[in-house]
Amino acid sequence: MAKEPRLIVVSNRLPVEIERTQGGFTYHPAAGGVATSLQSVRKQREMLWLGWPGTPVWDDKDRRSIERHLVKEYDSVPLFLPPSDFDLYYEGFSNGTIWPLFHYFPQNAHYEAREWNAYKEINALFRDKILEFAQPGDLLWIHDYHLMMLPALVREALPEAKIGFFLHIPFPSSELFRMLPWREEILQGLLGSDLIGFHSHGYARHFLSSLLRLLGLEQEFGRVIVGDRAVRVDTFPIGVDVNGFESAMQTEAVRKELAELQEETQDRKIVLTVDRLDFTKGIVERLESFDHFLAENPDWHRRVTLISLTVPSRTGVPEYQALKKEVDEAVGRINGRHGKPGWVPIWYMYRFLPFDRLVALYGAADVALVTPLRDGMNLVAKEYLAAHPDGTGVLILSETAGAAEELGEALIVNPHDTEQISEALLHALTMSESEQVARNSPMLARLRRYDVVRWAEDFLGGLEPEIAPAKQQVQVRLDKAGINLLLQAYRSAKQRLLLLDYDGTMVPFASRPKEAAPDEELITLLTRLAEDKKNTVVIISGRDRETLQDWLGGIGASLVAEHGAQIRRAADTKWSVQTTEAADGWKSELRPLLELYVDRTPGSMLEEKTASMAWHYRRAEPELGDLRAKQLMENLEGVIANTPLVIMQGSKVVEVKESGIGKGRAARRWLDSDTIYDFILATGDDVTDEEMFEVMPDGAWSIRIGVDRRSAAKYSVRGTSAFRRLLHSLGDR
Ligand code: GDG
């Protein structure tokens, strides 16, 4: 079996804690979702982890010793970052701009050019470190919002690298994202990747919509074409180590902790909250909901305890200090208001607990109250369920945590709705065990199936080169050598057939179809090609005959309009119509439906042709256009069943036409004629051209304009300008 390529994981922080001790350093592996998931990957392939090793300032000797140890013992490469830039990059741009903005707190975000510059500088240092270690064939997996410029920086230096990027926090709606002064750069930075992963479909959608609105880049099934590369955008919801939690529950240490907890809380119900102290977590809002619950339900006094584990975070930042004060005061106020001798309603712990104690807390809790205002995923919700393998326990979960997309059987709440959370608490505390198990079992089954190991494998599977299904035509990019072969074949041929699509092949798309008129240079080029006695030039287009006649009537080529419904041979002056008389009948039936879509989709329009009707939506709001196109296709499918009509979706157009009319059949008129062509070139860019590619004989040169799409064509070139260059080379012969 072929050896798996090596994986280089890159994240801001290395998952190793380093402490200075007398006479040296001690090292502890830091546990955490991503680190755990990659342990299993480590068993299957060689892996290197690259990141910042932590705050202390080391001298050169320390650095060398740490690096040696980490490379040897942890397969990790430390990147020592300059402290001055580090603050601007980390506290500044990463946590003071991106973190609040991406979590829907634009009022907390600041925009400082100095910090942005430091962010780019530090990303460049990461790139330099990668370049020291990367070898051809390595897979690179870059993590999170601190390193969004890194994919493009690496791509620039290593054009052939396989680069994956995963964002652990939300990607906000494009309306928020566009507030960022450096939004285009960030998008371009991410687009250096081959694969970009998000936790939820919503985040991926927001990202794609930002690409469309800010860079004008369109997607097709999550694929975005950037220059001559395809970038895939997909969803990989991170899981937890379900087996790890299940077995942790059985260990002596956890059992002991659990017994102690039960002793202390007696037969009171436990509601648990676990968060890092952060404004995105909704800590104060949640405490207020608990306050409201106690005020509304005095019969629950003495019978319930809220254990709030809050992990210190960014303690040097004034906003976080203020939040800490607010939380402290809320806890004091609520305990003061409802507490009684022998009963403290809220047990507040402001510290980081050892893993065993955390797991014991999960196990002891009757209810987990997880109500962040915004959260990329939220692992606590999943860990709580994993720590209850028998399916007991109740999860109350915020609808704005990524986890809510998968954990729909939990009690889902709006984290701002005090009343709703208070009611959910009552429901949770009184829920029967059978309802608990009924709700949790399907969630547990999903967590087991898609655990943290599957998550990593799934992402890496998406990053490794795809193997094309047997039947799918793999297109060969026409490189210099290929073009030379084509030119040789052209030169030595006696009878040549050139079947040329127009829009998207010889000219780029314009937002109004009428604006895509041919330029002088193209007219001269085509005329020259058509004048060559050995050439039969056919312009084969979806456009109406008037436009084709008007634009290309004088070049001496044959013209095929409306995908073959109308044909004018070079020698003729008249067009011949290929359609049936019945056309008028079906058109008047379908017209009202198509007009309805024109009305419902501002910017779209209806075009009537001889044998078809086309609804164009290139100028419509892009997402609405795509949505309406799908709806229209569904609608039409119902209406045209059992008629001789077919629906085609082209580039920003949905077209209904008579079956039997098509570019394939039109091309056949030449292929099946008495002339034997010893050089055939067929070119096109969209689905309507596929019919033509499909009927091409073996030796034909079929070329698809645009890369990385499925096609029956044998070859591809990058875009209209590349194709024009090729035409020029033909014209020069
Ligand atoms: C990012 C995203 C996304 C917490 N307190 C203690 C402790 N923890 C552990 C929990 C859990 C983790 O910390 C917190 O989970 P998050 O989901 O918030 O993860 P983060 O890494 O902070 O955040 C988040 C995540 O990335 C993964 O993609 O879900 O949305 O913001 O694992 O168990 N662990 C111990 N003691 C504690 O006191 N031992």
Side-chain angles (χ1 to χ4, degrees):
M1 212 172 82
K3 198 168 161 274
E4 298 272 7
R6 181 173 73 157
L7 173 67
I8 303 187
V9 176
V10 189
S11 62
N12 171 60
R13 186 80 163 84
L14 275 182
V16 186
E17 300 285 346
I18 307 168
E19 255 180 82
R20 190 186 285 277
T21 46
Q22 273 188 339
F25 301 99
T26 55
Y27 300 82
H28 312 278
V34 180
T36 313
S37 74
L38 293 175
Q39 287 315 322
S40 64
V41 174
R42 222 181 256 269
K43 288 181 199 141
Q44 287 156 18
R45 62 170 93 219
E46 203 187 331
M47 197 178 114
L48 201 63
W49 197 313
L50 200 149
W52 177 65
T55 348
V57 185
W58 327 90
D59 62 25
D60 278 350
K61 197 168 131 267
D62 291 344
R63 291 177 179 201
R64 280 195 299 275
S65 137
I66 290 170
E67 175 156 340
R68 261 197 312 276
H69 187 86
L70 287 180
V71 170
K72 189 156 165 269
E73 300 296 326
Y74 288 86
D75 296 325
S76 294
V77 178
L79 171 58
F80 299 98
L81 295 168
S84 51
D85 268 3
F86 183 82
D87 279 350
L88 296 171
Y89 141 84
Y90 186 72
E91 291 302 352
F93 194 73
S94 302
N95 290 329
T97 304
I98 297 296
W99 176 269
L101 186 64
F102 280 35
H103 283 89
Y104 291 73
F105 281 83
Q107 69 279 21
N108 290 23
H110 57 251
Y111 307 106
E112 295 273 350
R114 233 159 49 99
E115 295 178 347
W116 161 241
N117 288 331
Y119 183 84
K120 287 190 291 184
E121 293 283 319
I122 298 277
N123 273 247
L125 292 180
F126 271 90
R127 178 220 27 219
D128 297 344
K129 201 71 183 175
I130 290 172
L131 295 182
E132 272 179 44
F133 285 84
Q135 292 161 6
D138 285 347
L139 298 182
L140 278 166
W141 188 1
I142 301 169
H143 288 264
D144 229 359
Y145 63 104
H146 315 90
L147 300 175
M148 291 191 284
M149 296 304 286
L150 189 53
L153 290 169
V154 178
R155 173 72 55 208
E156 208 179 0
L158 302 174
E160 301 301 323
K162 274 272 155 209
I163 307 175
F165 179 91
F166 191 84
L167 187 71
H168 289 264
I169 65 173
F171 194 93
S173 131
S174 64
E175 286 306 311
L176 260 109
F177 179 72
R178 70 184 316 150
M179 294 171 80
L180 187 67
W182 307 283
R183 58 205 188 179
E184 284 91 358
E185 286 99 319
I186 292 282
L187 293 177
Q188 298 286 10
L190 291 169
L191 287 175
S193 320
D194 295 292
L195 173 64
I196 306 177
F198 296 94
H199 281 314
S200 86
H201 179 60
Y203 307 155
R205 218 165 18 82
H206 290 154
F207 175 69
L208 289 171
S209 141
S210 296
L211 287 184
L212 186 62
R213 279 145 209 266
L214 296 167
L215 299 183
L217 289 175
E218 289 182 12
Q219 60 119 356
E220 202 176 75
F221 301 112
R223 232 171 235 279
V224 182
I225 304 295
V226 183
D228 57 356
R229 293 186 307 114
V231 179
R232 200 156 78 79
V233 175
D234 214 337
T235 307
F236 305 89
I238 196 171
V240 293
D241 180 13
V242 181
N243 293 336
F245 276 91
E246 219 169 299
S247 42
M249 290 302 295
Q250 308 303 325
T251 60
E252 196 49 44
V254 171
R255 281 165 181 262
K256 196 168 144 266
E257 292 285 348
L258 195 59
E260 277 173 24
L261 257 170
Q262 277 157 351
E263 167 94 26
E264 284 163 32
T265 51
Q266 295 152 8
D267 49 5
R268 281 186 197 123
K269 293 257 186 186
I270 298 177
V271 177
L272 176 69
T273 76
V274 180
D275 331 76
R276 204 164 45 72
L277 186 87
D278 193 275
F279 55 86
T280 61
K281 298 291 182 181
I283 301 174
V284 176
E285 290 78 356
R286 185 189 308 148
L287 289 172
E288 276 161 10
S289 301
F290 188 61
D291 184 17
H292 186 72
F293 169 79
L294 292 178
E296 293 282 302
N297 300 283
D299 54 323
W300 274 96
H301 290 199
R302 292 184 187 278
R303 293 167 57 208
V304 60
T305 300
L306 177 77
I307 300 185
S308 173
L309 173 61
T310 308
V311 179
S313 169
R314 301 174 194 162
T315 45
V317 179
E319 287 84 0
Y320 284 75
Q321 290 163 354
L323 177 64
K324 160 89 173 42
K325 193 158 166 269
E326 215 187 325
V327 172
D328 288 352
E329 285 170 5
V331 172
R333 194 173 58 244
I334 297 164
N335 279 342
R337 184 173 170 201
H338 304 286
K340 303 191 168 56
W343 178 59
V344 182
I346 304 172
W347 289 8
Y348 176 53
M349 288 182 269
Y350 178 64
R351 59 178 178 272
F352 184 85
L353 290 186
F355 182 70
D356 293 340
R357 288 202 61 196
L358 175 71
V359 178
L361 274 177
Y362 282 145
D366 300 283
V367 179
L369 183 57
V370 184
T371 56
L373 303 178
R374 238 357 120 159
D375 215 331
M377 173 55 76
N378 194 297
L379 297 176
V380 169
K382 293 186 170 183
E383 290 170 3
Y384 172 72
L385 292 171
H388 290 257
D390 62 356
T392 57
V394 185
L395 173 64
I396 302 179
L397 179 62
S398 164
E399 63 193 14
T400 40
E405 220 171 81
E406 293 161 82
L407 304 180
E409 292 85 358
L411 299 181
I412 302 290
V413 295
N414 170 355
H416 297 278
D417 189 341
T418 310
E419 188 67 42
Q420 192 192 18
I421 296 176
S422 161
E423 281 166 14
L425 273 171
L426 184 61
H427 184 176
L429 290 166
T430 52
M431 190 184 286
S432 68
E433 201 170 297
S434 60
E435 184 180 345
Q436 295 173 17
V437 174
R439 282 175 180 272
N440 294 351
S441 305
M443 295 196 276
L444 269 170
R446 282 199 293 275
L447 289 182
R448 284 198 180 102
R449 267 199 311 274
Y450 201 87
D451 68 358
V452 72
V453 175
R454 268 292 303 284
W455 170 77
E457 282 170 355
D458 199 17
F459 185 91
L460 291 172
L463 187 56
E464 278 171 304
E466 282 172 37
I467 297 159
K471 275 194 182 156
Q472 189 179 318
Q473 174 103 21
V474 183
Q475 294 164 70
V476 178
R477 281 282 297 285
L478 262 188
D479 56 5
K480 238 187 177 153
I483 288 174
N484 281 338
L485 282 177
L486 185 149
L487 292 178
Q488 269 173 26
Y490 180 84
R491 222 175 302 140
S492 55
K494 297 196 176 57
Q495 287 293 337
R496 313 168 185 131
L497 174 62
L498 312 183
L499 297 162
L500 309 173
D501 169 48
Y502 183 74
D503 293 271
T505 298
M506 292 194 287
V507 296
F509 284 105
S511 58
R512 289 184 183 78
K514 293 280 172 210
E515 284 168 4
D519 47 273
E520 269 313 306
E521 186 211 322
L522 182 62
I523 296 281
T524 317
L525 175 58
L526 290 174
T527 311
R528 190 160 0 118
L529 285 169
E531 273 170 357
D532 189 328
K533 290 275 178 303
K534 292 181 182 167
N535 288 350
T536 301
V537 178
V538 184
I539 310 296
I540 187 160
S541 163
R543 288 208 176 239
D544 62 81
R545 75 180 206 190
E546 285 72 25
T547 310
L548 279 193
Q549 174 80 39
D550 197 20
W551 286 354
L552 301 166
I555 61 170
S558 294
L559 303 179
V560 174
E562 301 182 21
H563 303 116
Q566 304 245 14
I567 295 181
R568 204 206 76 178
R569 288 183 170 267
D572 297 340
T573 44
K574 274 201 172 152
W575 289 83
S576 64
V577 179
Q578 315 293 310
T579 183
T580 60
E581 292 303 315
D584 282 347
W586 67 260
K587 279 194 195 159
S588 45
E589 268 184 42
L590 288 187
R591 196 171 293 110
L593 176 67
L594 289 159
E595 281 170 349
L596 178 71
Y597 276 83
V598 174
D599 295 342
R600 293 173 63 203
T601 320
S604 71
M605 60 172 220
L606 182 60
E607 184 191 6
E608 291 210 22
K609 307 184 197 176
T610 316
S612 69
M613 289 169 102
W615 177 74
H616 293 269
Y617 59 98
R618 185 165 301 279
R619 289 182 58 233
E621 196 278 326
E623 276 160 354
L624 181 67
D626 288 343
L627 176 72
R628 291 281 187 264
K630 281 197 195 84
Q631 292 171 339
L632 173 61
M633 304 239 304
E634 270 171 31
N635 250 315
L636 284 171
E637 270 158 21
V639 180
I640 67 159
N642 306 322
T643 68
L645 298 175
V646 287
I647 311 167
M648 304 202 54
Q649 186 171 26
S651 178
K652 299 286 178 192
V653 57
V654 174
E655 186 152 3
V656 197
K657 62 163 197 159
E658 293 183 26
S659 60
I661 303 288
K663 289 189 177 180
R665 206 169 87 166
R668 275 239 159 83
R669 295 195 145 231
W670 279 271
L671 296 173
D672 297 346
S673 71
D674 293 339
T675 317
I676 310 285
Y677 296 103
D678 50 358
F679 175 91
I680 300 171
L681 173 71
T683 60
D685 71 302
D686 75 10
V687 275
T688 64
D689 300 306
E690 293 298 318
E691 293 179 5
M692 173 168 69
F693 295 144
E694 276 160 20
V695 301
M696 284 302 122
D698 277 352
W701 293 81
S702 50
I703 305 180
R704 160 99 193 210
I705 314 303
V707 287
D708 213 79
R709 313 242 175 112
R710 271 192 238 155
S711 172
K714 268 193 223 153
Y715 304 98
S716 68
V717 297
R718 187 164 154 171
T720 53
S721 16
F723 181 61
R724 279 257 199 133
R725 281 198 295 280
L726 177 63
L727 271 186
H728 267 290
S729 315
L730 296 184
D732 291 345
R733 299 289 133 175

